[in-house]
Amino acid sequence: MRTWILHIDMDAFFASVEQMDNPELKGKPVAVGGTSDRSVVSAASYEVRKYGVRSAMSVVKARKLCPEIIMVPGRMGRYKEISQLAMGVLREFSPTVEQASVDEAYLDGTGLERLFGPIDEVGRRIKARMREVTGLTCSVGAAPVRFLAKIASDLDKPDGMYIVRHEEVAEFLRTLPVGKIPGVGAKLLDVLKRLGVRTCGDLLLKPGEYWEERLGKYGSALYDRARGIDPTPVTPHEASKSCSAENTFREDTTDRTLLRKWLLSQSERVGEDLRRHGYKGRTVTLKIKYSDFSQITRSRSLDGRTDNTGVIYETACGLLEQVKLPRSVRLIGVGVSNFEARARQVTLFEEAPARKEATSELDKAVDEVRRKFGGTAVTRMELLDFRKKPTNSED
């Protein structure tokens, strides 16, 4: 039985949902995001992409490229609703579905040919059913391995389908630009260019040991990809790998007191989210974006995993103190990663952390009060005089 993995990618998802819900927007250059000059584009319709507008672009630049652009505020609740419908469609075809993000997923299609016919027909049926249930189009890529399926889904957008058959893998990879391989970023691409590599075929001109010596484990994995090898399976219901919150300010600032208050507010949101889902994380990360859009992250690994708001906040503040702030700050955020989704047991050689556990119980009590009476029912003393000014993004 031949292995097939499919990658399904909803087309311009956020913008397409807005156009579906508001027919007056159909065929028009629509982008989802904030409306102020300091906002960024979260998603762009295909009509506005023709002008060069892309996600993560500043609204100012987007308006210069397309003066007729229509900016629409995002509605994450609505997008999640449609996303759930889309994932439900995929599970009608296979129980082995891994949601990669709100608008894309992998599906293990091995054996589906017995039920639905050739892989081409499987793809067509998925696309038809997706349109029927969600009202939206999707692009489908199919291949023997996961990374090729993802590449394939991007080759015939929008509303397309591209299949890399088993016997076509070697020739497909021979001329494929190495930058198309998922995970090959700008830095690695620069290194590869200096080594004379432009395509996957170029990687095969040297043995695997050559690339492992120069690039370590990445070299070995890259050599495998160039040969069409990717053992990564489709894993249903993969747990979240991190939890974070960030805010973009309307006015840049260097006020460390204000930044610490934002970190406390964000740490509360992150801690509550962790506790709600039953996760604890070992690594706390601080994210700062400066007024010139340059960005830094600083991380610290804790001795044990935590979902404690106070621990998250104190760690983030410690990281902030180590940053010199050479320019004013446009965005600040905090995140927790390196999760453990089970209760932690104190070992024989470890003293029970009574103070931290007590604080965690307080966190849980505050969570319960806020769930019953609203988010402002309980406020930390440090935030009593803190008035959150509207921001362009709050994740």
Side-chain angles (χ1 to χ4, degrees), residues 60-195:
V60 171
K61 184 175 181 180
R63 284 182 175 141
K64 287 180 180 179
L65 292 172
C66 179
E68 298 82 19
I69 191 172
I70 301 172
M71 295 299 305
V72 179
R75 299 179 296 154
M76 187 53 68
R78 176 60 170 158
Y79 307 147
K80 288 181 178 179
E81 178 185 349
I82 300 296
S83 176
Q84 289 173 359
L85 291 176
M87 297 306 135
V89 167
L90 299 183
R91 293 186 184 101
E92 292 178 10
F93 290 85
S94 171
T96 311
V97 174
E98 178 183 336
Q99 184 169 358
S101 70
V102 71
D103 63 347
E104 64 174 319
Y106 293 93
L107 181 151
D108 188 342
T110 305
L112 293 187
E113 291 171 294
R114 293 179 177 179
L115 298 174
F116 303 107
I119 196 65
D120 313 62
E121 181 63 20
V122 175
R124 281 192 288 269
R125 288 193 179 207
I126 289 174
K127 287 167 56 61
R129 182 63 175 154
M130 189 68 74
R131 187 189 288 270
E132 178 185 358
V133 172
T134 69
L136 302 175
T137 65
C138 66
S139 294
V140 175
V145 292
R146 180 180 173 121
F147 87 98
L148 283 178
K150 181 171 178 61
I151 293 171
S153 69
D154 197 44
L155 296 179
D156 189 22
K157 276 187 154 292
D159 195 19
M161 180 169 64
Y162 194 100
I163 299 173
V164 181
R165 303 181 189 280
H166 291 68
E167 63 273 13
E168 298 170 346
V169 169
E171 181 58 24
F172 178 84
L173 285 168
R174 186 179 65 82
T175 58
L176 182 74
V178 71
K180 291 283 188 181
I181 297 178
V184 176
K187 290 183 179 179
L188 179 54
L189 196 57
D190 286 341
V191 172
L192 291 170
K193 285 181 179 178
R194 289 197 295 271
L195 292 171

Side-chain angles (χ1 to χ4, degrees), residues 13-302:
F13 184 52
F14 292 179
S16 295
V17 171
E18 298 301 334
Q19 289 176 317
M20 176 179 67
D21 288 352
N22 183 358
E24 293 182 1
L25 297 177
K26 287 189 176 180
K28 295 181 179 179
V30 174
V32 176
T35 56
S36 75
D37 288 346
R38 292 177 56 81
S39 300
V40 295
V41 173
S42 299
S45 69
Y46 285 100
E47 292 85 356
V48 79
R49 292 185 191 185
K50 296 176 182 177
Y51 296 87
V53 176
R54 295 289 184 271
S55 60
M57 179 181 289
S58 72
V59 170
V60 171
K61 184 175 181 180
R63 284 182 175 141
K64 287 180 180 179
L65 292 172
C66 179
E68 298 82 19
I69 191 172
I70 301 172
M71 295 299 305
V72 179
R75 299 179 296 154
M76 187 53 68
R78 176 60 170 158
Y79 307 147
K80 288 181 178 179
E81 178 185 349
I82 300 296
S83 176
Q84 289 173 359
L85 291 176
M87 297 306 135
V89 167
L90 299 183
R91 293 186 184 101
E92 292 178 10
F93 290 85
S94 171
T96 311
V97 174
E98 178 183 336
Q99 184 169 358
S101 70
V102 71
D103 63 347
E104 64 174 319
Y106 293 93
L107 181 151
D108 188 342
T110 305
L112 293 187
E113 291 171 294
R114 293 179 177 179
L115 298 174
F116 303 107
I119 196 65
D120 313 62
E121 181 63 20
V122 175
R124 281 192 288 269
R125 288 193 179 207
I126 289 174
K127 287 167 56 61
R129 182 63 175 154
M130 189 68 74
R131 187 189 288 270
E132 178 185 358
V133 172
T134 69
L136 302 175
T137 65
C138 66
S139 294
V140 175
V145 292
R146 180 180 173 121
F147 87 98
L148 283 178
K150 181 171 178 61
I151 293 171
S153 69
D154 197 44
L155 296 179
D156 189 22
K157 276 187 154 292
D159 195 19
M161 180 169 64
Y162 194 100
I163 299 173
V164 181
R165 303 181 189 280
H166 291 68
E167 63 273 13
E168 298 170 346
V169 169
E171 181 58 24
F172 178 84
L173 285 168
R174 186 179 65 82
T175 58
L176 182 74
V178 71
K180 291 283 188 181
I181 297 178
V184 176
K187 290 183 179 179
L188 179 54
L189 196 57
D190 286 341
V191 172
L192 291 170
K193 285 181 179 178
R194 289 197 295 271
L195 292 171
V197 174
R198 298 292 186 275
T199 68
C200 291
D202 294 333
L203 287 167
L204 300 182
L205 298 177
K206 304 283 187 180
E209 294 77 12
Y210 175 90
W211 299 112
E212 191 169 0
E213 288 174 3
R214 283 155 180 77
L215 303 174
K217 62 181 181 180
Y218 300 106
S220 179
L222 199 59
Y223 185 70
D224 281 345
R225 299 297 182 271
R227 294 186 294 155
I229 298 173
D230 180 6
T232 311
V234 177
T235 307
H237 313 300
E238 186 178 33
S240 298
K241 295 180 180 178
S242 66
C243 177
S244 63
E246 62 184 41
N247 292 87
T248 302
F249 310 130
R250 289 199 181 279
E251 296 180 3
D252 302 337
T253 184
T254 56
D255 185 342
R256 288 182 178 269
T257 299
L258 177 62
L259 294 176
R260 283 192 292 270
K261 288 185 175 182
W262 274 111
L263 286 176
L264 178 54
S265 175
Q266 293 165 353
S267 296
E268 284 195 319
R269 286 154 51 198
V270 170
E272 192 277 332
D273 200 34
L274 290 173
R275 293 186 292 274
R276 177 156 40 89
H277 290 95
Y279 290 118
K280 293 188 176 186
R282 185 186 293 274
T283 303
V284 176
T285 300
L286 172 73
K287 175 181 177 181
I288 291 176
K289 184 180 290 185
Y290 294 112
S291 54
D292 61 357
F293 286 87
S294 62
Q295 177 177 303
I296 65 166
T297 58
R298 297 289 184 269
S299 297
R300 178 175 297 164
S301 292
L302 309 174

Side-chain angles (χ1 to χ4, degrees), residues 239-243 269-282 305-308 312 336-344 360 364 367 371:
S240 298
K241 295 180 180 178
S242 66
C243 177
R269 286 154 51 198
V270 170
E272 192 277 332
D273 200 34
L274 290 173
R275 293 186 292 274
R276 177 156 40 89
H277 290 95
Y279 290 118
K280 293 188 176 186
R282 185 186 293 274
R305 291 180 170 85
T306 189
D307 60 1
N308 186 298
I312 298 168
V336 174
S337 58
N338 195 1
F339 285 168
E340 178 183 69
R342 59 181 181 274
R344 181 172 169 272
S360 184
K364 293 175 183 177
D367 293 343
R371 274 194 291 271

